[in-house]
Amino acid sequence: MALTTFPPPNPSPVQIHRLPQYTYIDALRWLPQLSAFTRHILLATFDSDTSTPSIQILTFTPTQNPINTPSLTHQSSLSTPSRITSLKIAPSPVNPSKPLIAASTFSGSLLFYSADLVNGSLNLEFSVPEKGFHLGAVLGIDVSDNGSECVTVENGRVNLVNLAEKGSVRRVFDSNGLVSYSTVKWASPVEFVTGGLGFGLHWWDQRKPGGPVVQFKGNWTQGTTSGIVHSVDIQWSRKHTCLAGGSSGTVFAWDIRWQQQPIILSGAWAGGGPANSISESEVWEVQYDNYRHSSNTGNVSSSKILPAMICSEDGILAVIEQGEEPVELLAEPCAINSFDIDKENPSDVICSLEWESIAILMRPQDKRQ
C-alpha cells in the first residue's frame, strides 16, 4: 500500500505580546543578557498624571508556551530632570554586569548611569547639567563602542563628552544656527555621522577638525516641505554605509564612497522615482536587522544594503530590504515611537506604542520564514 506523505508544518509565526505600562514610553532598550533565563529592559518613561519623567529597569521573563504572555517585573527606577530624548547602552570596560547607560533630556542635561544587572538597580554616576555646556534640548547622543566618549547634538552644535574624565565636554562644531542636527551615530573610534533638518547627513573625522569632512544633502519632498532625518545607523562591518530614516516615510542608505548617490529603500525621492513604501509618515527610528541576514552573511554581496527595521508615526514596524517587498511586523492604530533589536538574540524585538504599552515580538529561530 502506498504511503501518504505530508509536507512539514510551516515555521511558527511571529509571537506578538502587548503589555500595558500606564505611562508614556519615550524610549526603550534591551540591556545586555547575563544568562539565558535573566533579561532586562530599560525604559525612559513619563507619567502624565504626575508630570514625572523617569528611567526604569524591568525584568523580562519569557514563557515556554507561546500562548501565555511573558511578564515584565519592575526592578528599579530613578527620576530625571526632564523627559528623555535619547537613550543609549554601552558595555562597561570594567564589569560586564554593569553596563553604561547614557541619556539626554529636553532640558539640556546629560545623565550617565550604571545598571547593576545582578541586583537590578540603577546608579547615577555623573551628569552634565542643563545650565552648563548645552544651550537647549539635546536631541541625539551616541556612546563609542569602547565607552570612552559620548557624542551629542543640539540645534546646530556637535559636542564630545569624555567619559573617563566624567563630564569633560568640548565643542566640536557650532553652525551658529545655519544647520540643525537631530541624530548621531559613531562609525569608528574617531568618526561619526550626524543627520538633521533638510535631509542632510554630515560625516565627521576627529583627525580633521573644523567641520564635517563629507556632506550629503537630499531633497525627497521636491521642496514642498522641510524634511528631517530622525535616525541613523551604521553596521560595524560596513562603516562606509549609513542608514537613515526621516520624513515622508523615506529610508535610504548613503555610501560615502559615492557621496551623491543615495540608495532609496522606502519612500519617494525627488528626481529618482518612487521606491517600495510601507509608510508615508515620520520614520522615528531605523536599525540594521541582523536577524534576516545572520544565517547567510557570507553570501550577501558587499554592494547590497543589509536589511533594516523601521518604526513610524503611522504605527508601522517593518523590515525593508533592497530590491524586496517590505515585510510588515506590526500595524498599530497609534504611533510606534521607539524599538530595539536584541543584539544577543536578534529574533527578539521590543517597541513602545504611543498608547502607553510595550509590544514584544519573538520571531522564529528558523530564518527560512
Side-chain angles (χ1 to χ4, degrees):
M1 184 175 67
L3 295 176
T4 302
T5 60
F6 297 93
N10 292 329
S12 59
V14 177
Q15 298 176 35
I16 302 174
H17 305 281
R18 297 171 179 84
L19 304 173
Q21 295 302 298
Y22 309 107
T23 58
Y24 191 90
I25 303 163
D26 289 315
L28 77 177
R29 292 289 180 261
W30 288 105
L31 285 165
Q33 189 170 336
L34 288 183
S35 71
F37 308 102
T38 305
R39 303 172 70 182
H40 296 90
I41 295 173
L42 183 72
L43 301 183
T45 67
F46 179 73
D47 188 331
S48 57
D49 293 332
T50 61
S51 298
T52 304
S54 66
I55 188 168
Q56 303 178 12
I57 290 181
L58 307 181
T59 298
F60 169 64
T61 306
T63 62
Q64 297 298 323
N65 190 337
I67 298 177
N68 297 331
T69 301
S71 64
L72 291 176
T73 305
H74 181 270
Q75 288 279 296
S76 178
S77 65
L78 293 174
S79 61
T80 59
S82 65
R83 294 179 70 168
I84 300 295
T85 57
S86 186
L87 195 61
K88 298 293 180 179
I89 311 293
S92 168
V94 179
N95 189 342
S97 68
K98 294 185 177 182
L100 171 71
I101 298 168
S104 59
T105 69
F106 276 105
S107 61
S109 60
L110 290 176
L111 309 168
F112 296 93
Y113 302 89
S114 62
D116 187 335
L117 300 183
V118 175
N119 299 312
S121 61
L122 281 166
N123 298 290
L124 179 63
E125 298 296 331
F126 67 95
S127 64
V128 178
E130 58 265 27
K131 294 183 180 180
F133 196 78
H134 298 96
L135 303 179
V138 181
L139 301 179
I141 60 173
D142 196 29
V143 180
S144 59
D145 287 341
N146 60 11
S148 64
E149 287 186 301
C150 178
V151 59
T152 77
V153 291
E154 38 125 4
N155 294 326
R157 291 175 286 272
V158 180
N159 313 296
L160 280 173
V161 182
N162 188 316
L163 302 184
E165 298 180 8
K166 293 194 173 183
S168 172
V169 186
R170 77 180 165 89
R171 181 146 292 155
V172 175
F173 183 76
D174 189 342
S175 71
N176 295 312
L178 298 179
V179 181
S180 180
Y181 302 111
S182 56
T183 183
V184 61
K185 181 73 177 180
W186 285 100
S188 76
V190 294
E191 298 167 292
F192 55 87
V193 65
T194 57
L197 191 65
F199 304 112
L201 294 176
H202 290 176
W203 192 275
W204 307 76
D205 189 331
Q206 295 188 69
R207 297 164 298 189
K208 302 174 182 179
V213 295
V214 183
Q215 301 184 46
F216 169 76
K217 185 174 183 180
N219 176 26
W220 57 64
T221 58
Q222 304 181 19
T224 58
T225 61
S226 181
I228 188 170
V229 170
H230 295 297
S231 178
V232 293
D233 194 20
I234 294 176
Q235 218 276 344
W236 63 268
S237 65
R238 301 182 181 185
K239 73 162 195 174
H240 54 268
T241 304
C242 173
L243 178 71
S247 302
S248 304
T250 301
V251 181
F252 70 99
W254 176 50
D255 191 325
I256 63 170
R257 298 171 300 181
W258 296 280
Q259 297 172 16
Q260 299 304 319
Q261 299 295 324
I263 300 169
I264 308 305
L265 303 176
S266 179
W269 182 269
N276 291 332
S277 182
I278 197 167
S279 171
E280 297 180 356
S281 67
E282 305 299 304
V283 172
W284 292 124
E285 189 157 9
V286 295
Q287 290 184 27
Y288 281 112
D289 186 13
N290 291 333
Y291 169 80
R292 291 183 63 84
H293 71 87
S294 60
S295 62
N296 62 346
T297 303
N299 298 326
V300 178
S301 168
S302 61
S303 62
K304 185 175 182 179
I305 304 304
L306 299 175
M309 187 176 292
I310 71 164
C311 70
S312 69
E313 176 66 23
D314 54 4
I316 300 297
L317 182 76
V319 176
I320 55 178
E321 190 168 356
Q322 186 179 1
E324 305 288 340
E325 288 293 323
V327 177
E328 184 180 278
L329 300 177
L330 273 182
E332 296 293 311
C334 63
I336 300 178
N337 301 306
S338 176
F339 75 90
D340 196 31
I341 302 170
D342 191 337
K343 292 180 175 59
E344 293 156 299
N345 299 283
S347 58
D348 296 347
V349 183
I350 51 175
C351 60
S352 62
L353 311 182
E354 189 161 7
W355 290 355
E356 299 186 348
S357 294
I358 292 174
I360 300 176
L361 291 80
M362 307 179 76
R363 297 181 281 184
Q365 295 295 331
D366 187 343
K367 298 177 178 62
R368 293 174 297 176
Q369 177 167 298

